[in-house]
Structures are given as C-alpha cells and as structure tokens.
Amino acid sequence: MRSIDSVALSLAYILGLLATGIPGGGMIILLLGIGAAICRWQQPRWSWLQLGRVGPPARIWVLAGGIGLLATLYFQIRLPQPGLNDISRFIPAPGNQQEVVTVQGRVEQMPRLTRSQRGQIWIRATQLRQASATNESALGRLVTGKLYVTLPAPAVSSLHPQQKVAVTGVLYHPKPAANPQGFDFQAYLNQEGVFAGLRGLNLKVLSQGSTWGWWAVRQRISIAQARWLGTPEGPLVSAMVLGSRAVSLPWEVRDKFTQVGLAHALAASGFQTSLILAVVLALSRRLSNPEQMGLGITALVIFASLSGFEPSVLRATIMGSAGLIALVRGRQIRSTGVLLATAVLLLLFNPLWIWDLGFQLSFLATLGLIVTVPRIVERLDWLPPAIAPLIAVPVAAFIWTLPLQLFKFGSFAPYSIFANLITAPLISVVTIGGVISSGVALVWPLAGSSLAWLLYYPSHFLLGLVKFVAQLPGTTIATGTISIWQLGALYGLLGLVLVGRWWQAHWRLTLLIALGLVMIPTWPQTSGFQATILADTPVPIMVIQERGTTTLINAGDRRTAKLTVLPFLRQAGINQIDWAIAADTWLGAESGWLEILPQFAIATGSDLPKTTPTAAEQQTFTAIQSNAETYQPLQPGQTLSVASTQAGLIRTRPLAMKLQIGSLNWLLLDNLQLEQQAWVNSAVGLARPQVLWWSGQQLPVSLVKALQPQVVIVSSPELAAGTIEQLAAAKIPLYWTQRDGAVRWTPETGFERLLTAGSAEAP
C-alpha cells in the first residue's frame, strides 16, 4: 500500500472519531468517501475537477469512508456505561430524601485540592451501607464502579493509592453544565467511567495497602524539590518536570500560566522528552547503538509512568522513541507521518481521547511545529540563526492552537507569543534543572533537594514574569465561542496555506478571511438583545446584552466569579461591562467583583448605600468606584438607566429592586419574610410585576398570589414543598435555576431553560 493510501485511511479513522460530535457523522464520512470515489473514477470525464492522478484510487476512498463509519461505531462501543451493580444505581431518585451512607473502596489516585480547597480523591467502590446501621461490621450491598469523592482537605492529606477506606457522606448524580457553555461536570466524570459523586463528611482508613507505586516515586521527587524551595516554587519545578496533573500545584499559579498562554509549560510533553533523551545520549555516548536505544526508551517509559500516562505524554514518548530509533540507526523519518501514526495508535487504544483537550492541543501544537516552523524561519532569515527559531516556535504553536481555543473558550491571550519569548530561558533552566534534580532525588533525596534549591531564583523570577504579564491591560481578549463549522473552516484555511503557493503569497488576504470567519458570524449575537440569569450561584446574577452594551447585575463570591461569571462573559465575546450593578457588596473580601474588576473595563458602576460598611465591604466599594469611569450609587426611590435597561432601588434589606429589561418589568426580591408581605402589598410601584425574580430562602406562595406576576424565576437552591404544584395550578410559569439551569430571555423566543427542553409562554 502506498504511503498516500495509508494517510487517507488514517485520516478517515480520525475524522470518523471527530464525526461523533455531529448527529449522523459516521454516515456523512461514508458518503464523503463514496463521493470522492465517484469523482476519482469519473476523472477522465470530469477533468474540470482537476483532481489529478496522484491521489488514492477509488477503492481506497470507499474503504476510507467505511473506516470512518466503523470509527464512530467503535467510539460508541468504548463509551463507559454503568454496570448492573454500579454505585450510581443506588442514588435516591430526585425529590426523595437523601440519606447518609458509608462507602468502602480502594483509593486509586493521589488526593488533590479542588478550587474550593476541599480534598478530592477517586475510589473504586466495593461496599455500600447506610451510615445509621448499628452493626458496623455488616457487609451491606456489594457495589462496583469508580466514585468521585470530596472531603475536608485535612481528611485526605495522608492518603495514597491502594489504601482501603470507608467514607461517610451523601451520594449524588453529577450535574451537566448549568450555564451556557459552562463546564459539564457530568460529561467529564462519565468520560472517566464515573457516574456518581460523594460529598464526604468523614473518612476512616481500613487498611494501608501497598506502600510502593509510581505515586510513591512522584511523592519522593515532589517532597525533595519542595523541601528547600518552598511553595509555590517547589510544586512549580515538579510540575514542569512531571506535569501539573501529577503535582498539587496551587490553582492561582495554574490560572496565571493559562491566562498568559503558558499552560503548556506545566504539561509534561515533548520538551521534557527531548531533554531526557539528550541527557541519556550524552551519558551513554560510549555505548553501542542498541544499548543507547534501550536506555533511551527505558528512560522515556519511566518518564511516562511518572507523569501518569496522560495522552500528551504518551504522544511525546512514542514520537521520542521513534526519533531515537531513527537516530541510532542513522535513518531519516518523516515527522508528519510519525505524528499521524502516533495519533492513530493512541486513538485505537482509547478512542475517547479524541475529545480530550490536552490530546487535541498537544497534537495541533506539534503539527504546527513540524510544518510551520521551517517556513517561519525562512521568513525570518534577516534575524540571527539562533534567534529565528525562538520566535518561530511560539508563533507556530499559537497559530495552530488558536482556532481550538476560540472554539472551546471564546478568548485568547494576545501576549502569548511575548510571554513565551521572555520566559523561554527561565523555562529551559528550570526544566533542565528539575529533570536533573528529580533523577538525583530518586537515589539520594537530600542531594536532589540541594540541586533543586539552586532553582529558587530562576523559578521565582519566572513566577514574577508570569504575574507581570498577567497584570498587563488586555491580557485576555474575548471573541465569543466560534461554531464547529467556523473551526473547520479555519483549519481548512491553514491547510490551504500549507499546500497552496497562491495562498502563501497572499497571506494578508488569508489573514483577512480568517478574521472574517471569526468576527462576522458573531456580529448578530452582539447586535441582539438577551438577558441571562446564571445558575448555581450564591446570589442572583444576571447578564444583559443589548446591541453591543452589557449590564452585569451582581458577581457572586470569588469562586462564582472565576468559574461561572468570567467564563460566560469571555465565551459571549464581552470585553467591557457598560453597567455594573453591585447589589451583593455584603460579600466583602470574598466578593466576586474583586476578581472581575481588574479584568474588565467598567463604564458605569453602581452599588447600594450602606451607612457603616465593614472594612471588607469598603474594599469592594472602593474597587468599584476606582475602576468605573462613572460612579452612580443606587439610592432608594431613584431610577438609573443604561441603554433601555433601567434599575430602581426600593430598599436594601431585604433587597427589593425594580428592573425594566426590554419590554418587561421585573421585581427582584431577596429573603422577604412572611411578616413583610404587607409592606410589599402597600409599597408604591410594586403592584403586579410581569416577572418576579426571587432569591430568598423559601418562596412564599402567598406573596406570588399578592403580586400576581406572569412569570416566576427562583434563584435560591430550595423550594418549599408544594410550591411547584401550586404555581402550576395557578398557571404561572416557574423557572428554577437549581432544576432548570440558566434561564435566558429574548424578545423573539421568550424564556428558555438550559437543562430542560421547551419553554413556557411568556410576555
């Protein structure tokens, strides 16, 4: 079989796996293969197609279409499914009372800290019983399946894999994304073969299990490097050697590196394998070629084992091994062919990796380095030979990963190339030193700590540079997420530039087309009108987008701002907040505004009056006043407006605010007690709002009857028993963010839920 035929079949398998993201994708690939075969067969008649005679023959195109279809079927077969006794099958149905249970199982991975600073572990469940059972030795139910468990951080600090533990807590079903394009926790766990979570209350170790494993080796290295480096320098050095997934690196450090476009520096991949091979070949230069090859491959396998066999690490290991074999045998290899073969091999092993973001970014960046760096170096021939590659590498990686970043996150880091250039020397020094100190620490931990200590200033300066770049204005630019067809068109354009001389000569036109592909389809989104109430937030949060202007009502706490509000704004293509209404300044030092204000320009800022604010509340007030171009506090009885959105404060505690959003008048109420309903009924301007937006603890049905709204939206986590039924009997549509996810209103479609199908009639 010719090499071009092998390439066609390999690409067909990969495209077939990618087609699983499209309904009927397998049949589309099959039809494309048949269509290409017909065109190839009819080439003498259809000479105007200019297909040429160097491509695969018709039978290969048909075979490629069949392989693409089989790839989609293979993907479905490999999708994890819960077993008959999977622990997820014993979770109480929604609406039933949750009970505290005790789950026994074995720890599978080292514990880590979540963003909320709770401990996270994965256990292989074996037994399940009610925590209230009097006989603790009772076997209970035999269960199977992997379980995601969170506990207070101190409870998991001394855990390690193979320990047998008993965890007491509450089982739950992981939730899908509750906000538009939010993180799909359910899909993430399902891809890992996990269908249940446990909110742990306490943990008991039943047996220690084995005290040796790759986890112990990683721990030995991490402890040695952190002994005299401290935090975060010690974990940073370990992460740059082993990868951030194998090390408990503080989240704020990860976020800064990601924000400036340096996330790859914390991912064990090709750079580390190149260093390892260089060291092995230098130390074994007097040995025979087979001995050098054996030592090099052994070192790469050890490195992959220490890093946790992540897809990007396996890609680098396989390609590094292929390059080593070719080097010691004195042969040339085609890097693109090796990359394609590696991708097929890994996806045959686990086809689910096709949707792993690390896998996608790793291969795209590597492809960019292979096919684009030489061309960029040629363009930079006016620079010294040692400088041109330093610029070409980050530029190529940026170009090839940018479309995927826009598709996934709707934003990019404009300083990415600059950050890579100024940090490259420090990253090289820290990584090389980290690899050497890791090897020494395995033999003599104290000596490994001494070598790691020499990396304090390089790692400290690296952290300082990353922090400096992260504080520059416009460190992240939001474009809004692009569609799947835009993603395909952008990578198709990159392919044309690679193979077409005309496109290479007219690169300015190519750039203009690429900008049009990103910006023009998103223009209608910025010119329309929509209001979105976000879900899973401790306070009511709304984002109003109206013909290019944005109003943000509340920001929640810091965690909510970082994980919910900021991603929503970025993916919506929002770079400026025209009106920031802070009715949640009582959160003080935990206010999410302290996360949002440094990253967004604020045209107008408004907050609520408070006679004696605490020091923490004053910090939020000061931040809003100093960051906003115009400051207009909300006063009772006063109405402010931006574009067609109006807000009028009625009182602060309990919060009562009138809103005019589009053609609807809203009433926002927070924690109104039953004895205060008389005040509501008598207050001026509160009669019969079209939309009642409730954020208190329990929604009084009597209040709804008194106000007679046309729609009720509840942002609180609980509803009193019978509330849903009573509102349904009164024919009042209810939108409950805890159940329905985010709620969106537009003048054209009315109210829509994110998590449930359909929409109720709305004014």
Side-chain angles (χ1 to χ4, degrees):
M1 182 180 293
R2 297 179 305 168
S3 60
I4 191 171
D5 299 341
S6 301
V7 169
L9 297 179
S10 299
L11 289 176
Y13 176 71
I14 296 175
L15 290 176
L17 294 179
L18 289 172
T20 56
I22 306 173
M27 291 303 300
I28 294 175
I29 298 297
L30 177 61
L31 293 176
L32 287 175
I34 294 174
I38 293 174
C39 292
R40 188 70 174 87
W41 179 52
Q42 294 290 341
Q43 171 59 28
R45 298 183 185 179
W46 300 347
S47 57
W48 54 273
L49 286 176
Q50 299 295 320
L51 292 177
R53 297 183 178 276
V54 297
R59 67 178 185 277
I60 295 297
W61 283 117
V62 174
L63 181 59
I67 288 177
L69 177 61
L70 291 175
T72 62
L73 300 177
Y74 178 53
F75 181 90
Q76 297 298 328
I77 293 172
R78 291 292 302 273
L79 278 175
Q81 299 292 335
L84 293 177
N85 291 323
D86 191 89
I87 192 169
S88 62
R89 299 189 183 275
F90 300 95
I91 301 176
N96 295 345
Q97 184 177 3
Q98 294 180 327
E99 62 179 13
V100 179
V101 299
T102 298
V103 180
Q104 292 186 17
R106 291 195 178 276
V107 179
E108 291 214 328
Q109 297 178 7
M110 288 293 290
R112 301 178 65 181
L113 287 180
T114 65
R115 287 185 179 272
S116 56
Q117 298 304 301
R118 283 178 62 84
Q120 165 200 315
I121 58 173
W122 305 77
I123 67 173
R124 181 67 61 178
T126 56
Q127 297 178 15
L128 171 69
R129 63 180 174 83
Q130 292 182 344
S132 57
T134 56
N135 184 8
E136 292 192 3
S137 62
L139 181 63
R141 298 187 183 96
L142 295 179
V143 295
T144 60
K146 196 175 176 182
L147 187 63
Y148 175 88
V149 182
T150 55
L151 284 154
V156 303
S157 58
S158 59
L159 293 181
H160 62 75
Q162 300 304 315
Q163 284 181 313
K164 186 177 180 180
V165 297
V167 185
T168 300
V170 177
L171 288 171
Y172 64 91
H173 284 293
K175 294 180 61 176
N179 294 293
Q181 299 174 339
F183 176 65
D184 195 333
F185 184 53
Q186 183 183 78
Y188 165 72
L189 291 186
N190 289 173
Q191 189 169 345
E192 297 291 329
V194 180
F195 303 94
L198 180 70
R199 296 186 187 92
L201 303 174
N202 55 70
L203 176 143
K204 180 180 179 181
V205 178
L206 303 179
S207 66
Q208 291 296 326
S210 174
T211 57
W212 188 93
W214 290 112
W215 63 268
V217 181
R218 286 193 291 268
Q219 191 176 54
R220 184 185 182 96
I221 293 173
S222 300
I223 292 175
Q225 291 178 333
R227 178 179 286 119
W228 291 331
L229 277 178
T231 302
E233 287 79 7
L236 175 64
V237 172
S238 300
M240 294 180 68
V241 177
L242 304 175
S244 59
R245 294 190 180 185
V247 179
S248 293
L249 185 66
W251 282 102
E252 55 269 21
V253 176
R254 301 182 193 217
D255 292 340
K256 293 295 184 186
F257 272 74
T258 302
Q259 183 180 352
V260 302
L262 289 173
H264 62 88
L266 304 179
S269 57
F271 186 53
Q272 288 86 344
T273 58
S274 300
L275 290 177
I276 291 171
L277 288 179
V279 172
V280 170
L281 292 177
L283 296 177
S284 61
R285 59 183 180 274
R286 296 186 179 181
L287 300 179
S288 64
N289 287 346
E291 291 173 331
Q292 281 187 311
M293 184 173 64
L295 287 175
I297 293 177
T298 301
L300 292 179
V301 171
I302 293 174
F303 168 69
S305 302
L306 288 173
S307 301
F309 293 108
E310 296 296 332
S312 59
V313 177
L314 291 176
R315 190 273 309 162
T317 300
I318 294 174
M319 293 193 67
S321 300
L324 177 62
I325 293 172
L327 179 64
V328 298
R329 291 188 176 182
R331 297 181 179 178
Q332 295 288 332
I333 63 171
R334 298 187 63 177
S335 300
T336 52
V338 173
L339 179 64
L340 182 60
T342 301
V344 172
L345 180 63
L346 292 178
L347 292 174
L348 284 171
F349 174 73
N350 187 352
L352 303 183
W353 280 344
I354 192 68
W355 298 115
D356 183 275
L357 183 60
F359 178 91
Q360 296 170 344
L361 290 174
S362 175
F363 274 89
L364 286 172
T366 304
L367 178 62
L369 299 183
I370 293 172
V371 302
T372 308
V373 166
R375 301 172 186 267
I376 297 177
V377 170
E378 289 179 6
R379 296 277 184 176
L380 299 177
D381 55 359
W382 50 275
L383 289 175
I387 301 298
L390 296 179
I391 299 176
V393 168
V395 170
F398 178 80
I399 291 173
W400 280 88
T401 58
L402 179 59
L404 183 59
Q405 292 181 47
L406 298 181
F407 177 71
K408 290 288 187 180
F409 308 114
S411 62
F412 68 98
Y415 299 124
S416 174
I417 297 174
F418 170 70
N420 277 273
L421 290 175
I422 64 173
T423 59
L426 291 173
I427 289 176
S428 300
V429 170
V430 172
T431 305
I432 294 172
V435 169
I436 296 174
S437 67
S438 297
V440 174
L442 293 177
V443 181
W444 187 8
L446 190 61
S449 299
S450 301
L451 291 175
W453 175 78
L454 299 176
L455 300 175
Y456 174 78
Y457 287 108
S459 59
H460 185 73
F461 290 151
L462 176 60
L463 288 169
L465 278 177
V466 171
K467 184 178 180 181
F468 164 74
V469 176
Q471 292 176 343
L472 293 175
T475 185
T476 302
I477 294 181
T479 62
T481 51
I482 62 176
S483 64
I484 186 69
W485 75 263
Q486 289 172 278
L487 178 69
L490 287 173
Y491 279 115
L493 196 61
L494 280 175
L496 289 175
V497 173
L498 281 179
V499 300
R501 294 183 179 274
W502 187 90
W503 293 94
Q504 295 171 13
H506 298 80
W507 63 271
R508 293 181 179 86
L509 176 61
T510 305
L511 180 60
L512 185 62
I513 295 175
L515 291 174
L517 285 171
V518 173
M519 303 306 297
I520 294 177
T522 60
W523 178 80
Q525 301 177 12
T526 60
S527 61
F529 189 109
Q530 67 178 25
T532 307
I533 297 175
L534 301 181
D536 286 340
T537 61
V539 297
I541 299 176
M542 177 187 285
V543 180
I544 305 170
Q545 299 163 259
E546 177 185 3
R547 292 182 291 276
T549 64
T550 301
T551 299
L552 175 61
I553 302 176
N554 292 338
D557 56 20
R558 284 182 176 268
R559 183 176 184 276
T560 300
K562 184 176 293 185
L563 300 183
T564 302
V565 181
L566 284 174
F568 178 85
L569 296 176
R570 297 299 188 197
Q571 292 169 352
I574 296 172
N575 291 289
Q576 172 176 302
I577 298 174
D578 297 277
W579 193 10
I581 303 177
D584 56 350
T585 49
W586 53 270
L587 290 168
E590 290 301 313
S591 173
W593 291 107
L594 301 179
E595 295 285 342
I596 292 176
L597 292 172
Q599 301 190 43
F600 284 86
I602 308 293
T604 302
S606 301
D607 55 24
L608 305 186
K610 194 171 182 64
T611 54
T612 56
T614 64
E617 290 173 333
Q618 187 61 48
Q619 180 184 6
T620 306
F621 293 144
T622 304
I624 294 173
Q625 295 174 20
S626 59
N627 282 273
E629 296 178 10
T630 303
Y631 173 68
Q632 293 181 304
L634 286 170
Q635 300 291 343
Q638 180 185 8
T639 299
L640 301 178
S641 64
V642 168
S644 66
T645 300
Q646 299 179 5
L649 180 64
I650 300 169
R651 62 180 295 173
T652 56
R653 284 290 175 265
L655 176 64
M657 183 183 297
K658 292 189 301 182
L659 299 168
Q660 183 69 38
I661 303 173
S663 60
L664 301 182
N665 60 76
W666 299 50
L667 174 62
L668 171 60
L669 292 177
D670 173 33
N671 256 351
L672 192 69
Q673 303 301 319
L674 289 175
E675 59 271 14
Q676 296 171 316
Q677 290 186 38
W679 165 80
V680 172
N681 295 331
S682 62
V684 177
L686 290 190
R688 297 193 178 183
Q690 291 173 288
V691 182
L692 172 61
W693 182 13
W694 175 262
S695 62
Q697 295 179 353
Q698 296 286 351
L699 173 65
V701 177
S702 57
L703 174 65
V704 179
K705 293 180 179 179
L707 295 173
Q708 298 183 8
Q710 299 177 33
V711 173
V712 173
I713 300 175
V714 178
S715 292
S716 56
E718 296 181 358
L719 277 177
T723 301
I724 297 177
E725 292 76 9
Q726 293 182 55
L727 291 178
K731 297 183 179 181
I732 299 177
L734 169 66
Y735 296 87
W736 181 21
T737 58
Q738 183 71 15
R739 177 196 65 190
D740 303 332
V743 178
R744 174 177 291 163
W745 176 82
T746 65
E748 296 78 17
T749 62
F751 287 92
E752 296 176 314
R753 304 173 174 91
L754 177 67
L755 295 183
T756 56
S759 61
E761 293 184 2

